[in-house]
Amino acid sequence: MMNTTEFCRCAHTTRDTLRFYDTLGILKPQRLPNNYRDYTADDLNNYQIIQNLKAAGISLSEIAQILALRTQPVTASCRNDVLTIIQQNAADFAKQQQFYAQLLQITNQMHASLQAGHQEQLAGLIEQFGRLGEPAASRHP
């Protein structure tokens, strides 16, 4: 069990964020008799889920829908809403994956060129940064 200060320290967050998440109903700690919030390891795990989904570009309202799947009966409407969220984000994740794969390839090539002292290759590699996210067929080496 953790009080708000301890939880903020562990989660690297602020009281305002915790209050906001509590208001949204996506992070609901237990309350002590004095009405203070009392956080558990499960709350810390839920907080990390929220942060990871936010980092993936999922809105807080969408996160609330996803988290509700754990505790509420899955209705047809709820299921369809979450499927839509997942499908939309899956396409974005695929684009991001392509972007980072290309970025990794270019930076690995730059690393190799720098180690080998092939400065003449660097200008072309740097130019490729401007074409990140394009399909491989439209990129020029």
Side-chain angles (χ1 to χ4, degrees), residues 55-67:
I58 299 174
S59 72
L60 290 174
S61 63
E62 292 170 333
I63 291 170
Q65 289 178 286
I66 292 167
L67 292 175

Side-chain angles (χ1 to χ4, degrees), residues 7 17-18 21-29 37 39 42-44 46-47 50 67:
F7 189 89
T17 298
L18 297 179
Y21 289 175
D22 194 354
T23 301
L24 294 176
I26 59 176
L27 187 64
K28 297 289 275 181
R37 291 172 177 89
Y39 294 92
D42 285 341
D43 292 321
L44 194 54
N46 289 340
Y47 179 83
I50 294 165
L67 292 175

Side-chain angles (χ1 to χ4, degrees), residues 56-57 85-103 132-136 139:
I85 292 167
I86 291 169
Q87 289 166 340
Q88 289 171 345
N89 284 291
D92 291 339
F93 298 156
K95 289 177 188 173
Q96 290 175 15
Q97 182 181 25
Q98 177 186 356
F99 174 87
Y100 285 110
Q102 291 172 9
L103 181 62
L132 286 173
E134 295 177 3
R139 291 193 318 261

